Amino acid sequence: MISGSLRAYLSIFILVFPGFGYSAILEGTGSFDGTESTMSPRFFRSGSPGDPCEPFSSGNFQYQAIDFKTDSSGQLIATFDPQTLGTGIFVTFHTGIFDPSNICTGYVWSYGSSALFSETFAAPPNTDMVMVVSGVANAPNVVGGPYSYALDGVSLSPDQAAKIPTLSEWAKITLALMLLVPAGWYWGRRQG
């Protein structure tokens, strides 16, 4: 059984070294102004989360692609709020690079409807992926926003990670020594 003080030291260790037991969250917002890239056709909204990809309708439909890389967990927790865009946009997740001329390539998951959602689904670990936010009406008829999203289970790129304040290497070493010396002294007194 782990003693209370050892549990406290382990908790501090996890805070000092966030790579242990820490999952990054990528958050952001977006909006449509009518100048986005287009795809054809658009996605069929089945109404059921996780249904297979099906193309639907013809025309040109606006989309935005948000690139990210999954972590090693094998799952992704996606939260999406269309806000004022409501049922005018639809969200899908794909591996690799999104191909607007073949929209089902690399398809992994969608919520199935144009609504606010927070869902956990299987995602290939350590893989480049893209979240596609697409318009439901023909271009350039989707204008507005913002929408917001949060992806939990991603591995942040260096430019994304730079936005997160962290301790320098020497600060971590100093902090670890400050914690380990008293812990060693305490452990030695208990053993002796």
Side-chain angles (χ1 to χ4, degrees):
M1 179 156 188
I2 298 176
S3 72
S5 59
L6 184 56
R7 186 176 298 124
Y9 281 113
L10 287 174
S11 298
I12 292 170
F13 181 81
I14 289 171
L15 289 173
V16 173
F17 299 98
F20 292 89
Y22 176 76
S23 181
I25 298 176
L26 177 63
E27 296 178 317
T29 61
S31 58
F32 282 81
D33 62 11
T35 62
E36 290 79 20
S37 299
T38 59
M39 62 183 194
S40 183
R42 72 172 174 86
F43 297 99
F44 176 70
R45 297 178 291 174
S46 68
S48 299
D51 276 356
C53 181
E54 287 185 51
F56 180 77
S57 189
S58 61
N60 292 314
F61 303 93
Q62 299 156 249
Y63 76 91
Q64 295 176 351
I66 294 106
D67 297 319
F68 63 95
K69 184 173 184 163
T70 57
D71 64 13
S72 61
S73 69
Q75 70 176 12
L76 189 64
I77 302 168
T79 302
F80 187 85
D81 185 353
Q83 298 182 32
T84 59
L85 289 166
T87 59
I89 56 177
F90 187 67
V91 179
T92 57
F93 294 86
H94 306 258
T95 56
I97 298 171
F98 179 66
D99 180 358
S101 62
N102 190 358
I103 63 172
C104 290
T105 299
Y107 174 85
V108 173
W109 188 86
S110 77
Y111 183 63
S113 63
S114 298
L116 177 128
F117 67 86
S118 184
E119 293 282 327
T120 301
F121 58 93
N126 304 313
T127 302
D128 291 325
M129 291 189 66
V130 61
M131 178 177 77
V132 177
V133 182
S134 58
V136 174
N138 271 311
N141 294 325
V142 179
V143 176
Y147 61 81
S148 60
Y149 63 89
L151 305 175
D152 186 353
V154 300
S155 182
L156 296 178
S157 67
D159 62 321
Q160 293 165 327
K163 298 175 187 173
I164 300 171
T166 58
L167 293 174
S168 71
E169 180 179 338
W170 285 107
K172 288 180 183 178
I173 291 169
T174 303
L175 184 57
L177 287 173
M178 288 172 47
L179 296 171
L180 290 174
V181 168
W185 177 79
Y186 175 76
W187 191 270
R189 288 200 57 193
R190 283 190 59 153
Q191 300 297 325

